[in-house]
């Protein structure tokens, strides 16, 4: 999987992602992350990439020209590598997009290339968005100063679903949200800590009982902490039984 990020702050994106598991995944060659500086594509002699908004109002807007030229250069390079006229999905991270969830992460992990567009200031001229963006995605109902953190969130969530990124092939299957429920509580050594014991069933070695206990814990926890997820899960079970 090749990630391409269009941004005014490439070092922010690269520094943030080139640590820990995602950094190792890149070294192993499971994924690649490239950050392209939109400013490199401005035709303005002072390297300006923003301007005032028509109609007035506070703040500046990123202009269409540098964003479009940056995208064209990227798209051309990707098409050349693939040896075909192929249109890569362009994700604009914006509070106006559909809110991101695990299913979307799984779907995006099937792509060979993904382009992320990060806005800054008050956003980007609508006309270039209309021409290049295929997906509008938000990471939640709050506003940030730039699209870089949301793009990094998406890249992290998608990367860990790419084969080979996690050592343990199972962990992406059993974790929170994989089945629509939150994950059960987990324990490591020692057996007693601050006078708290690890639940007895986990020490029993009885795999069927352990499975059952974990499922009960998952259900209980989801009902308590995320009632809307719990309702959706119960509904989907009822449909399957009909
Ligand atoms: C929030 C989100 C996002 C922003 C989100 C354009 C200029 C948008 C600043 C940017 N804030 N981007 N993707 N909730 N701010 O996903």
């Amino acid at each position: 999987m090749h990630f391409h990020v269009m941004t005014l702050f490439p070092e922010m994106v690269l520094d943030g992602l080139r640590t820990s598991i995602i950094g190792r995944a890149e070294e192993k060659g499971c994924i690649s992350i490239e950050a392209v500086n939109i400013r490199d594509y401005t035709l303005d002699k002072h390297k300006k990439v923003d301007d005032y908004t028509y109609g007035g109002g506070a703040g500046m807007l990123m202009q269409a020209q540098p964003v479009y030229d940056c995208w064209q250069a990227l798209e051309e390079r990707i098409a050349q590598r693939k040896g075909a006229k192929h249109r890569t999905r362009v994700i604009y991270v914006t509070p106006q997009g559909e809110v991101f969830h695990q299913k979307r992460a799984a779907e995006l992990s099937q792509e060979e290339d993904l382009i992320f567009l990060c806005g800054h200031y008050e956003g980007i001229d609508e006309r270039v968005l209309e021409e290049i963006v295929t997906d509008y995605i938000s990471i939640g109902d709050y506003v940030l100063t730039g699209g870089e953190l949301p793009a990094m969130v998406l890249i992290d969530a998608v990367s860990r679903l790419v084969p080979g990124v996690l050592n343990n092939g199972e962990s992406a299957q059993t974790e929170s949200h994989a089945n629509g429920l939150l994950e059960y509580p987990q324990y490591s050594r020692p057996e007693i800590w601050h006078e708290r014991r690890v639940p007895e069933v986990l020490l029993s070695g009885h795999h069927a009982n352990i499975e059952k206990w974990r499922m009960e814990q998952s259900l209980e926890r989801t009902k308590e902490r995320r009632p809307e997820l719990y309702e959706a899960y119960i509904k989907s079970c009822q449909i399957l039984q009909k």
Side-chain angles (χ1 to χ4, degrees):
M1 162 78 79
H2 304 285
F3 297 103
H4 314 267
V5 186
M6 298 167 56
T7 170
L8 292 174
F9 301 95
E11 61 294 333
M12 174 178 178
V13 174
L14 295 179
D15 290 352
L17 290 171
R18 288 200 169 139
T19 52
S20 186
I21 297 173
I22 304 304
R24 247 174 291 135
E26 201 182 9
E27 284 168 19
K28 281 195 284 182
C30 303
I31 59 166
S32 73
I33 306 165
E34 162 193 49
V36 192
N37 196 334
I38 295 169
R39 196 177 297 279
D40 292 345
Y41 292 86
T42 180
L43 298 175
D44 180 86
K45 56 179 180 287
H46 300 110
K47 292 257 167 199
K48 202 170 68 79
V49 292
D50 62 324
D51 210 331
Y52 298 98
T53 58
Y54 280 114
M60 308 288 276
L61 211 59
M62 281 167 72
Q63 292 168 287
Q65 177 274 317
V67 172
Y68 188 77
D69 289 3
C70 180
W71 167 75
Q72 254 196 337
L74 241 181
E75 179 71 10
E76 224 154 83
R77 261 196 296 116
I78 296 169
Q80 231 162 50
R81 163 164 52 77
K82 288 186 172 162
K85 234 240 97 40
H86 177 276
R87 224 184 134 113
T88 303
R89 277 168 88 169
V90 177
I91 298 167
Y92 181 46
V93 281
T94 166
Q96 300 175 31
E98 185 204 17
V99 176
F100 190 58
H101 48 75
Q102 193 64 31
K103 274 217 181 77
R104 183 75 56 223
E107 185 225 322
L108 292 175
S109 74
Q110 301 301 307
E111 300 285 331
E112 200 179 324
D113 289 86
L114 283 174
I115 298 176
F116 291 88
L117 174 58
C118 305
H120 234 89
Y121 316 110
E122 296 302 308
I124 303 179
D125 189 308
E126 190 70 21
R127 293 167 297 183
V128 67
L129 301 178
E130 287 171 5
E131 290 207 5
I132 72 172
V133 173
T134 59
D135 300 77
Y136 293 85
I137 300 181
S138 166
I139 61 161
D141 292 335
Y142 43 83
V143 180
L144 303 166
T145 58
E148 284 74 17
L149 287 169
M152 290 159 72
V153 166
L154 266 55
I155 291 169
D156 190 290
V158 172
S159 290
R160 56 193 294 295
L161 301 178
V162 171
V165 171
L166 301 183
N167 308 317
N168 171 2
E170 212 195 40
S171 61
Q173 288 291 305
T174 61
E175 71 208 354
S176 292
H177 297 294
N179 59 358
L181 293 172
L182 302 184
E183 200 175 29
Y184 45 79
Q186 300 189 92
Y187 305 86
S188 184
R189 290 202 290 184
E191 227 177 276
I192 305 171
W193 179 82
H194 283 200
E195 292 173 24
R196 295 162 185 273
R197 282 196 153 277
V198 172
E200 204 59 47
V201 60
L202 298 178
L203 310 173
S204 69
H206 192 300
H207 292 295
N209 284 353
I210 293 173
E211 284 274 289
K212 181 167 169 281
W213 181 85
R214 284 180 167 167
M215 189 60 192
E216 289 162 0
Q217 291 288 316
S218 268
L219 285 164
E220 197 175 299
R221 178 160 282 202
T222 308
K223 188 176 184 183
E224 181 76 26
R225 298 186 185 180
R226 295 292 302 276
E228 81 288 11
L229 290 185
Y230 180 77
E231 288 308 321
Y233 183 82
I234 295 298
K235 270 220 183 85
S236 75
C237 292
Q238 285 164 349
I239 289 166
L240 284 176
Q241 274 168 8
K242 274 181 195 163

